């Protein structure tokens, strides 16, 4: 199988590792990242050192020509960019007849739960992945993947549920490339568990890496709100004990220079000044389910709104003091409580 992968931080790490294990890989990128990959190759930094992979790199399906029947498309963009990628690749012709949407497997290597649903509107064969992979796009053409001893942990399954031989073959390839990729029939259960952890992304994005007691206490409140919503919506998710038991000590974050952990993907979006952020599909997922099931979500609404404002106005990542964020959170909760209080 040839893997055609969007080459951001997560996609670059997966693509580089697959290529290093001898698999055929083509990268998809845009802008300065595309130019750097075309000119200098993909520079992948891992715990084993830095390796440059010179791989075919395109900015769309036309540059690859007719796709092959054995190709695997790996969607690794932020959810807000999924629709454009699916619109571009879905109609691409495949050798022997038909289109990519009709014939090729699409693997959503994303931490959001919405992309597989979006993809299933166009593609017949959609696979979800729960991504545990510490990766950073350091600069155009360079990706850091600091997980050790495994580069990442990638639960994989059909969307909305089930497994098949394609999933098992993909998992076997990933297993030879410094990943562990359990094939599960209920991948959404793992994705919703990861979603609860990712509710902290917006806190990090606007107020910096979670290290203070104030920040951690706020995240606990935000997560509790998310858990209440999932319970009301009857959405199953793996518990922390099960996650710990499965991953055990197979993946740790080990910065190469000994520094503290940097910000996650939302923080990186603000730091790069992209103008967009994924909050609508993280905190916004909890807000959506809360509205559908009658559960108030003032904390996640606040974080969704702040994160989007920071992205739109290109404010500096981590520039809102945690104490100020906690004050705004308390005000948001008090406002909802007052709204819902019985009137005399």
């Amino acid at each position: 199988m040839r893997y055609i992968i969007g080459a951001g931080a997560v996609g670059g790490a997966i693509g580089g590792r697959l290529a290093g294990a001898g698999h055929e890989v083509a990268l998809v990128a845009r802008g300065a990242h595309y130019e750097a990959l075309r000119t200098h190759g993909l520079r992948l930094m891992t715990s084993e050192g830095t390796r440059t992979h010179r791989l075919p790199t395109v900015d769309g399906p036309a540059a690859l020509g007719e796709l092959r029947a054995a190709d695997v498309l790996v969607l690794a963009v932020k959810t807000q960019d999924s629709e454009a990628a699916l619109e571009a690749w879905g109609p691409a012709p495949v050798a022997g007849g038909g289109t990519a949407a009709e014939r090729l497997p699409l693997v959503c290597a994303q931490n959001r739960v919405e992309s597989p649903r979006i993809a299933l509107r166009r593609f017949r064969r959609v696979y979800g992945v729960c991504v545990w992979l510490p990766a950073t796009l350091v600069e155009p053409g360079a990706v850091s993947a600091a997980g050790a001893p495994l580069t990442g942990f990638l639960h994989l399954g059909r969307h909305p549920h089930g497994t098949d031989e394609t999933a098992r073959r993909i998992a076997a390839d990933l297993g030879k490339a410094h990943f562990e990729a359990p094939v599960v029939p209920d991948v959404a259960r793992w994705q919703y568990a990861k979603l609860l952890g990712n509710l902290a992304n917006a806190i990090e994005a606007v107020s910096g890496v979670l290290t203070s007691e104030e920040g951690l206490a706020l995240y606990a409140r935000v997560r509790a709100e998310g858990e209440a919503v999932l319970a009301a919506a009857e959405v199953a998710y793996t518990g922390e004990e099960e996650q710990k038991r499965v991953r055990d000590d197979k993946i740790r974050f080990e910065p190469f220079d000994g520094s503290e952990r940097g910000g996650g993907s939302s923080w990186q979006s603000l730091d790069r000044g992209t103008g967009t952020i994924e909050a609508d599909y993280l905190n916004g997922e909890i807000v959506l389910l809360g509205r559908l099931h009658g559960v108030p979500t003032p904390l996640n609404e606040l974080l969704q709104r702040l994160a989007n404002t920071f992205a739109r106005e290109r404010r500096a990542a981590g520039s809102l003091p945690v104490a100020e964020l906690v004050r705004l959170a308390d005000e948001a909760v008090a406002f909802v409580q007052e709204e819902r209080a019985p009137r005399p």
Side-chain angles (χ1 to χ4, degrees), residues 225 283 287 291 296-306:
E225 190 176 273
N283 307 91
V287 171
R291 290 170 180 168
T297 57
L299 297 176
N300 281 281
E301 287 183 39
L302 171 68
L303 290 173
Q304 179 186 8
R305 183 170 66 253
L306 283 175

Side-chain angles (χ1 to χ4, degrees), residues 29-46:
R30 295 173 297 177
H33 190 43
Y34 166 76
E35 296 297 338
L37 292 171
R38 293 263 297 181
T39 305
H40 304 293
L42 170 66
R43 188 156 52 94
L44 180 61
M45 293 164 273
T46 69

Side-chain angles (χ1 to χ4, degrees), residues 75 79 82 86 106-123 125-129 157-160 187-188 191:
L75 186 67
T79 301
S82 293
L86 295 168
L106 178 79
V107 178
C108 296
Q110 301 161 290
N111 273 330
R112 284 22 98 196
V113 297
E114 182 65 15
S115 272
R117 287 189 71 248
I118 296 173
L120 206 58
R121 294 177 186 275
R122 297 178 184 269
F123 281 75
R125 299 163 61 198
V126 175
Y127 299 78
V129 181
R158 285 290 296 262
H159 180 80
V187 68
Q191 290 174 313

Side-chain angles (χ1 to χ4, degrees), residues 207-224:
S207 293
V209 178
L210 282 175
T211 55
S212 70
E213 289 187 11
E214 271 187 310
L216 292 170
L218 176 59
Y219 165 61
R221 295 166 63 192
V222 171
R223 181 186 175 101

